[in-house]
Amino acid sequence: ASEVIMDGETGIVIEKGEAEKIRDALNRVDRILPEGRKMGENLRSLVVSKFSFSDITRRFISNEAGMPG
């Protein structure tokens, strides 16, 4: 997830076990909905560019081609 979620750009990063920070983050996004929408749009763009089917297929084929048969 760290390769996709960038705090404040594509989401909000919260360390494990920090329940109060989760609550605060949800309240923050709810209060400033446009920022939350923008983070969602940023995340979608990043995922589509880094993890498209054709990109994953290309990487898979490249890895298979380099493996001994």
Side-chain angles (χ1 to χ4, degrees):
S2 62
E3 64 192 39
V4 177
I5 305 299
M6 293 172 282
D7 198 34
E9 287 184 48
T10 59
I12 299 172
V13 176
I14 299 170
E15 297 299 321
K16 182 179 176 182
E18 295 184 332
E20 283 187 25
K21 289 189 179 183
I22 293 171
R23 183 199 64 218
D24 294 344
L26 291 172
N27 286 332
R28 177 178 149 210
V29 171
D30 188 48
R31 279 192 318 270
I32 48 176
L33 200 51
E35 181 182 337
R37 283 193 179 122
K38 183 63 179 163
M39 283 191 278
E41 291 168 3
N42 291 343
L43 178 58
R44 184 182 188 290
S45 295
L46 181 64
V47 168
V48 167
S49 71
K50 289 184 83 170
F51 302 103
S52 69
F53 182 74
S54 60
D55 186 51
I56 292 171
T57 302
R58 186 174 36 259
R59 283 189 270 165
F60 176 78
I61 291 170
S62 176
N63 286 340
E64 287 296 311
M67 295 181 76

